[in-house]
Amino acid sequence: MTRISVDLIETVTPLVQERVHEAARRLPHLQYADLRLEVTEAKGAGAENGTPKFSGDDQTLALGVRVLAGDRMCAPGYVGLMLGAADVPNLARIIGEALEQAYRRAVVNGEMKADAREKFGPLGEALADTRLHPVEVRQDTVGAVYRVDPRAMSLAEMVRYATDISRQVDAVDAGVKYNYVSTLTELSRELFVSSEGARIDQTFALTQGTCTVVTVAGEVSQDLYDALGHQRGWEILLEGVDEPLLRFPTFLDFALGLAREGVALATAPVLPTSEREVVVVTDPHYNTLVSHEIIGHPVELDRALKMETAYAGRSWLLGGLTEHQIGRRVASPLVTTYSDPSLPGFGHYKYDHEGTPARRVVHIDRGIFRGFMNSRQTAAIFGGEPNGHWKATDASLVPLIRMSNTVFDAGTRAAEDVLKEVDHGYYIAGHRTPSIAESRENFRISARRVYEIRNGELGRLYRDGGIAADSRDYLMNVDAVGSDFRLYPIPNCGKGQPMQTKRLGNGGPTMRSRARVIGR
Amino acid sequence: MRTIGELAKAAEEALALVTGQPAVVEVEVFAAANSALLTRLNYTSHIPCNGVEEPKSTESYGLGIQAVFDAPDGRRIGFGSEPSDLTPDGAERALAKARTAAVADPEFVSLPARSASPRALANYHDPRLMEIDDQSLVEAGWKITGGALRTFTASSRLAALAQDDDALRRLGLIVGGDVTILRERVAIASTAMPRAQTDETSLITAFVTAMVESRGAKGSGASTGTRLDHFTDEAGVEAAQNAINAIGGERVPSGVYTVVFGRQPVADLLNNIVIPACAAGAFYSSSTPFLGKLGRSVASRHLSLYDDGAMPGLMGSKGITCEGLPTGRTDLIKHGVLAGCLSNWYETQRLLRDPALEEKLGARGPAAEAALVPRNGFRFGAGGGRQFDSPPGVAASNVVLEGAEPLTLDEVIRRVGSGLYIGRIWYTYPINGLRAGDFTCTVVADSYIIRDGRIAAPLKANAIRINDNIATFLNNITGITKDVKGTIVWAADEVVYAPEVAVTGVHVDEIAGFMEELD
């Protein structure tokens, strides 16, 4: 038995296509079926306080099936499986059984939906057939981009590298009491096949470095975490990234910088909380999380259509099919936001997980709300063309509407000028932890560093602070947007039930607005 | 799903095979099969919907091998796993991965050794949950949705608000959530404990949120159990009724309030702040607010908190940990004093040998050993299950919070006089790192204003944010109710058996006034 490799996808594609089309022909009341098969070859290594802690070289094989079927009403059914090398010889049987099981669930679900529609009178009328908005059916193969093949990396070298960085972080200062450094490099290949005839074969390279540092000064601990990464090979950790939108130092410098920051913060005073709104200038790293939380999440159409009410929440941008903010002013004319899978980084892809060609969708155009990220199902309900944002963390899980690269667009001002114009205010640098209201109408996000601004200059450094505001007020109060746009990776966005943790991209430029600063 | 017998046989055979391999000093084989069946619910009266959105499942099984190897530069420890193969071939592949991955971790002491305590819990799963079919899975989802829709349909209050069918739908009645059935089977055998130990767990949960959206009214309901025959539409009915009860919610101004935290907020605060603060790793990394405080006061003397994975009938109970050690009770906070930590074998061994142990934990010697008994080495994956493909981490099981002076909720509310009852909070995080203890969250449902010692009016959902510190919650306690209920938090490993807790001096900020103007 050989080890699973991404080459398996090519080998089994005809079999998968045959199984899906055969099921579509054979099973009565089946209206649509799709299947995702994903192979990942990943290597990782981690070190703690200058000593090696783990490494791993593994391959995963995941399978996911969706069927829409039903006699009296059409409904969905799903199956997800994590497989191994021992399953490869039996793949035809396993795929056939998964299609049958998803079909059975869909048919039973459709029958019960029809019963409920009859039983609950006026409330039953909302129960509708499951429909997918048509998309162009594509057959395509998309290759990965990397210089150092993730599969070629030596595990021993990865351990040595992580341990060396951890050792150097430990040596930064006696105040560094703990650090954890981890690295990952992987190649994954995803096959999507649908009963409509789609066949999409996409391969992605991904490399990531993460660092956690705890610094202590007396009764104060500062625990900081940050990640760098890109859809490239190991070279990005050694050389950094210097692209127009995405820039990182080497992973060593990145980790050392985080440690030095932690040392400085542990002896800084706590930010005092302001009684009322003050002028705040936010840097691109901080705005990465702001764009994630108060732009990206509320423009996910599944959430806006209430499908996440019990988990990730709703969106203040949509009450019902005719009560929404589309066409209305929700931000200052200086604010434009969009999601764009064609940008580089963690949020890049050509097709989403139902084969929809991915494209840029503008959410806010010079302050006016324009629209949502969607899927075929939500587009069929709300209207509009599918824009390719239905994504799962792995093929065994049901996709959700997910951000690609969701960002604040660049403005025209020099970032230095945005700061220099401030008589008194606060400079909010580096994102830390978010807490967002249920419909994303209010937020509090802590920063890594907060500086007082006096007469256009950075003053005292504070720890344990951030800003809080109502989302619309904050966006409406933006009065300056810098030209220094940066894109950053978000390695751990959680959504769904069971929770799916996903990598994606966010970013923005320096911006100026008004908010309460909150420390203690 | 693979049977428990197949897993036990595989674990023992793999142990025998690996033990004889070159350079292998010590080995632990963990075989597991997991199945998560889940129906996601989504009903919206004003938007076309499926009612039951996603009947789905994820399944996996396989072997995980942790092995210690002799090497020229000393011992090395490595982990490898192989999915979907319980045969010797699978064991060989897992071992090969462990060998390749092995590192020279200087803090590694040994794989787990046999405990002096006996196992307390066995044969506690429901065989019917282990055999549930597709029809029953989908039926469970529709049972909950149906319970909520029946409650909405029968409500005279909704009928009074909506004079006709269209108006009823325009109220924006929402039912969301899920029914989850989790089935786990594990077997473990090791050099120190060569006879395979097995464990089999099943549970069913329903977690539901309902809304009358046009009125900004939101309620929730939940049910938990370990047996299929106990599963009813209770969670759907409760959520819909709570949403109806929340109609007419009022705003309150920013200020400092006495707050009765309901069960979900108590569970959320414990899950996101207090339980992580009690983990051995947080002491090791100097990131807990309880740093160096073992044996010292960290909370009101009214409060006791413990983890117990061996209590029969509780949802988070297991017979053994994923290290083959017996589960049991670990006192975390006893009458306000820090009493112990959640730990696994590795964390306990390295912390006990840490030169900074006393500085980090606050004690050494027998006191430290008693506080660090490794009863919580689990290999939980996202969404549940005991994963064969990861080494053990640290997770709580059943966390129980108790008060010293058992009170009814009415007594607690009378005592409060004027304040807020908070029934559901949201997005609760230690906003400035764990050790600082600062937390923030918004209030999203099931909440009320207390006036004159009684519930006076619903509190409007999504209209306040709590900005405070966990020390306020732990120390300013004026009452704890006597009844605890199993409460689950989204994406949490543990189940919190939470009472309601009254706390003085809680900082609250009014938020999102602009939402009143939206149409």
Side-chain angles (χ1 to χ4, degrees):
Chain A
M1 195 184 304
T2 56
R3 107 188 212 142
I4 294 172
S5 84
V6 294
D7 298 335
L8 175 71
I9 293 293
E10 200 159 336
T11 311
V12 302
T13 295
L15 163 73
V16 172
Q17 289 179 294
E18 189 274 324
R19 292 271 91 180
V20 169
H21 296 308
E22 187 274 334
R25 282 193 304 272
R26 180 172 52 81
L27 298 170
H29 312 304
L30 186 149
Q31 299 192 10
Y32 172 87
D34 64 35
L35 185 149
R36 290 170 296 126
L37 191 68
E38 179 180 1
V39 174
T40 301
E41 296 183 68
K43 293 180 179 180
E48 205 174 30
N49 299 336
T51 62
K53 283 295 150 181
F54 85 94
S55 75
D57 174 359
D58 215 342
Q59 313 87 45
T60 59
L61 174 61
L63 168 71
V65 171
R66 166 172 66 170
V67 169
L68 305 183
D71 181 7
R72 289 188 294 153
M73 291 192 81
C74 182
Y78 299 85
V79 166
L81 294 168
M82 293 303 293
L83 305 172
D87 293 313
V88 173
N90 307 314
L91 212 48
R93 176 183 55 77
I94 290 167
I95 288 171
E97 288 173 357
L99 282 159
E100 295 262 1
Q101 189 167 32
Y103 170 76
R104 281 198 303 274
R105 288 175 182 170
V107 168
V108 171
N109 197 16
E111 281 305 294
M112 291 185 179
K113 180 157 64 172
D115 289 345
R117 187 175 164 85
E118 289 169 5
K119 187 174 173 183
F120 290 107
L123 296 187
E125 289 179 25
L127 297 168
D129 282 317
T130 309
R131 294 188 303 116
L132 301 181
H133 193 293
V135 292
E136 185 188 347
V137 173
R138 296 268 188 101
Q139 301 211 335
D140 200 358
T141 301
V142 182
V145 181
Y146 53 80
R147 226 171 59 231
V148 178
D149 188 333
R151 296 167 295 184
M153 276 305 298
S154 147
L155 212 50
E157 170 55 20
M158 290 177 68
V159 172
R160 188 207 60 75
Y161 179 73
T163 305
D164 181 57
I165 290 180
S166 177
R167 193 178 296 125
Q168 293 197 52
V169 167
D170 187 58
V172 161
D173 188 274
V176 176
K177 296 296 185 188
Y178 174 83
N179 76 78
Y180 183 79
V181 168
S182 79
T183 59
L184 166 76
T185 189
E186 68 176 32
L187 196 65
S188 63
R189 189 166 179 180
E190 304 171 355
L191 174 67
F192 171 82
V193 168
S194 79
S195 58
E196 294 172 338
R199 181 200 50 80
I200 308 292
D201 176 351
Q202 300 182 95
T203 307
F204 303 90
L206 185 140
T207 299
Q208 175 180 286
T210 67
C211 182
T212 299
V213 177
V214 180
T215 56
V216 178
E219 294 297 306
V220 176
S221 290
Q222 283 288 293
D223 50 301
L224 301 182
Y225 162 86
D226 206 355
L228 66 75
H230 196 359
Q231 287 194 34
R232 295 289 185 272
W234 185 255
E235 66 274 6
I236 67 146
L237 298 187
L238 301 180
E239 301 165 12
V241 175
D242 188 13
E243 297 179 6
L245 304 180
L246 203 60
R247 286 196 295 281
F248 292 113
T250 65
F251 184 42
L252 172 62
D253 287 342
F254 178 87
L256 292 175
L258 194 70
R260 291 182 188 118
E261 186 177 321
V263 170
L265 282 165
T267 55
V270 176
L271 177 71
T273 297
S274 67
E275 283 302 309
R276 51 184 63 84
E277 285 180 355
V278 295
V279 175
V280 293
V281 177
T282 49
D283 82 341
H285 191 278
Y286 186 83
N287 288 330
T288 292
L289 194 54
V290 177
S291 69
H292 180 95
E293 300 291 359
I294 73 167
I295 301 297
H297 278 312
V299 300
E300 297 160 346
L301 191 51
D302 52 355
R303 175 194 301 262
L305 292 175
K306 328 298 175 189
M307 297 162 89
E308 288 283 328
T309 299
Y311 311 108
R314 297 169 298 143
S315 168
W316 69 273
L317 295 164
L318 190 142
L321 295 182
T322 56
E323 300 86 34
H324 49 70
Q325 299 300 308
I326 292 178
R328 299 189 180 193
R329 178 164 298 285
V330 297
S332 142
L334 298 174
V335 175
T336 291
T337 71
Y338 57 84
S339 296
D340 191 346
S342 75
L343 297 184
F346 278 3
H348 175 79
Y349 54 88
K350 191 171 175 188
Y351 299 93
D352 74 357
H353 287 151
E354 54 184 348
T356 302
R359 62 179 173 84
R360 176 183 290 207
V361 52
V362 174
H363 306 305
I364 299 174
D365 182 8
R366 288 161 290 174
I368 308 297
F369 183 59
R370 293 299 180 198
F372 297 93
M373 288 176 276
N374 64 17
S375 61
R376 295 183 65 185
Q377 184 183 335
T378 55
I381 294 168
F382 186 66
E385 289 293 314
N387 49 45
H389 283 85
W390 209 53
K391 298 274 287 179
T393 294
D394 75 54
S396 72
L397 301 168
V398 177
L400 304 150
I401 295 178
R402 291 299 222 152
M403 290 172 233
S404 48
N405 288 299
T406 301
V407 300
F408 287 110
D409 199 5
T412 56
R413 306 285 310 279
E416 304 76 38
D417 292 346
V418 173
L419 187 76
K420 274 184 185 158
E421 292 167 353
V422 178
D423 177 34
H424 184 258
Y426 291 88
Y427 184 64
I428 314 294
H431 63 73
R432 199 171 179 196
T433 305
S435 173
I436 320 296
E438 187 262 354
S439 292
R440 304 277 152 175
E441 65 272 50
N442 172 276
F443 69 93
R444 177 178 171 185
I445 299 176
S446 57
R448 296 228 300 254
R449 309 179 306 282
V450 179
Y451 298 88
E452 189 175 18
I453 307 170
R454 280 195 179 276
N455 302 319
E457 300 288 335
L458 290 187
R460 191 168 197 181
L461 169 69
Y462 293 99
R463 67 175 160 89
D464 294 344
I467 64 174
D470 288 340
S471 305
R472 191 181 71 169
D473 295 350
Y474 183 77
L475 295 171
M476 294 286 268
N477 284 332
V478 171
D479 67 359
V481 179
S483 57
D484 55 337
F485 178 89
R486 291 277 299 274
L487 199 55
Y488 288 96
I490 293 284
N492 53 357
C493 174
K495 185 179 175 185
Q497 174 69 345
M499 169 81 84
Q500 297 186 39
T501 302
K502 184 125 183 62
R503 295 188 182 91
L504 41 86
N506 290 108
T510 295
M511 300 174 79
R512 190 173 66 210
S513 184
R514 298 183 63 80
R516 272 182 80 203
V517 292
I518 300 197
R520 202 168 297 140
Chain B
M1 264 185 97
R2 294 293 166 151
T3 67
I4 202 76
E6 288 174 311
L7 296 175
K9 180 167 174 279
E12 289 187 354
E13 284 180 355
L15 177 66
L17 184 145
V18 173
T19 300
Q21 299 297 311
V24 172
V25 178
E26 243 191 311
V27 64
E28 173 189 86
V29 181
F30 185 74
N34 292 285
S35 160
L37 298 165
L38 197 144
T39 51
R40 240 173 87 118
L41 317 176
N42 178 50
Y43 173 82
T44 44
S45 68
H46 51 324
I47 298 169
C49 63
N50 280 317
V52 167
E53 181 62 37
E54 291 172 9
K56 61 186 179 182
S57 61
T58 53
E59 285 193 42
S60 64
Y61 71 93
L63 288 171
I65 290 180
Q66 195 160 213
V68 183
F69 303 93
D70 254 342
D73 55 348
R75 288 184 316 162
R76 290 177 164 251
I77 170 86
F79 178 83
S81 67
E82 184 61 21
S84 302
D85 194 349
L86 300 178
T87 69
D89 279 352
E92 281 183 5
R93 292 171 63 79
L95 175 66
K97 291 177 188 174
R99 194 185 292 275
T100 307
V103 298
D105 176 358
E107 293 178 307
F108 174 79
V109 178
S110 74
L111 291 173
R114 190 183 298 276
S115 166
S117 306
R119 174 178 179 157
L121 195 61
N123 295 327
Y124 53 97
H125 71 280
D126 178 3
R128 286 184 58 205
L129 275 180
M130 287 292 180
E131 306 303 331
I132 191 168
D133 60 16
D134 288 319
Q135 171 118 3
S136 303
L137 170 68
V138 179
E139 274 175 1
W142 280 103
K143 186 181 278 190
I144 296 290
T145 305
L149 294 187
R150 259 199 320 281
T151 306
F152 282 141
T153 305
S155 167
S156 55
R157 189 145 184 219
L158 294 186
L161 287 172
Q163 302 301 320
D164 57 37
D165 290 351
D166 272 350
L168 184 67
R169 286 191 292 271
R170 282 200 307 274
L171 286 174
L173 306 177
I174 300 174
V175 183
D178 67 89
V179 178
T180 296
I181 298 163
L182 201 57
R183 304 177 298 181
E184 310 163 334
R185 288 181 177 136
V186 305
I188 184 167
S190 66
T191 306
M193 294 174 273
R195 187 168 170 194
Q197 300 181 76
T198 61
D199 205 7
E200 201 165 4
T201 312
S202 58
L203 62 89
I204 182 166
T205 67
F207 173 64
V208 187
T209 296
M211 287 198 76
V212 183
E213 194 179 32
S214 65
R215 297 297 191 271
K218 190 173 183 182
S220 56
S223 65
T224 58
T226 55
R227 304 191 65 85
L228 187 60
D229 53 6
H230 295 169
F231 186 74
T232 69
D233 63 1
E234 167 198 350
V237 171
E238 181 187 11
Q241 193 55 58
N242 284 339
I244 294 166
N245 292 345
I247 292 172
E250 299 175 13
R251 285 182 162 268
V252 294
S254 300
V256 177
Y257 290 83
T258 297
V259 169
V260 180
F261 288 96
R263 294 188 172 93
Q264 186 276 345
V266 169
D268 217 25
L269 287 166
L270 295 182
N271 170 252
N272 286 298
I273 303 164
V274 181
I275 294 169
C278 291
F283 289 86
Y284 177 80
S285 63
S286 303
S287 55
T288 171
F290 304 146
L291 197 67
K293 292 187 176 173
L294 189 73
R296 290 165 57 187
S297 173
V298 296
S300 159
R301 62 184 170 78
H302 297 295
L303 183 146
S304 291
L305 183 72
Y306 62 90
D307 178 86
D308 192 342
M311 287 176 82
L314 298 199
M315 212 171 56
S317 291
K318 318 276 183 201
I320 51 171
T321 69
C322 300
E323 301 184 296
L325 300 174
T327 54
R329 174 168 170 151
T330 300
D331 285 307
L332 302 171
I333 299 172
K334 199 166 185 179
H335 306 305
V337 174
L338 185 67
C341 306
L342 300 166
S343 193
N344 63 13
W345 181 267
Y346 177 85
E347 293 289 350
T348 293
Q349 297 304 310
R350 76 165 173 174
L351 200 47
L352 288 175
R353 287 161 179 78
D354 190 330
L357 172 64
E358 191 155 10
E359 180 189 330
K360 289 179 176 178
L361 191 62
R364 57 191 305 173
E369 285 172 25
L372 286 166
V373 178
R375 301 187 186 97
N376 292 87
F378 293 110
R379 313 182 197 220
F380 294 145
R386 305 170 80 171
Q387 306 298 329
F388 65 86
D389 57 358
S390 57
V394 174
S397 54
N398 301 298
V399 175
V400 184
L401 192 154
E402 287 179 345
E405 182 196 13
L407 300 165
T408 66
L409 179 59
D410 285 346
E411 287 168 329
V412 168
I413 288 174
R414 255 200 311 278
R415 200 181 269 190
V416 166
S418 174
L420 304 174
Y421 178 91
I422 304 293
R424 183 161 287 269
I425 58 176
W426 169 268
Y427 228 127
T428 309
Y429 283 136
I431 192 85
N432 292 319
L434 193 57
R435 190 173 184 196
D438 299 332
F439 75 90
T440 187
C441 58
T442 56
V443 174
V444 293
D446 305 325
S447 298
Y448 298 89
I449 299 166
I450 300 169
R451 294 188 191 112
D452 302 322
R454 59 177 58 183
I455 297 289
L459 177 66
K460 192 170 181 65
N462 303 322
I464 57 172
R465 172 179 288 283
I466 298 174
N467 289 304
D468 217 304
N469 190 283
I470 198 63
T472 304
F473 174 79
L474 291 174
N475 290 295
N476 291 10
I477 292 172
T478 61
I480 298 176
T481 61
K482 63 185 171 192
D483 294 329
V484 298
K485 184 176 175 185
T487 308
I488 45 177
V489 176
W490 184 35
D493 292 325
E494 68 275 2
V495 183
V496 176
Y497 284 81
E500 289 141 316
V501 179
V503 176
T504 60
V506 178
H507 286 79
V508 166
D509 285 314
E510 187 179 4
I511 60 166
F514 80 93
M515 293 291 287
E516 310 294 333
E517 305 153 15
L518 292 183
D519 51 34

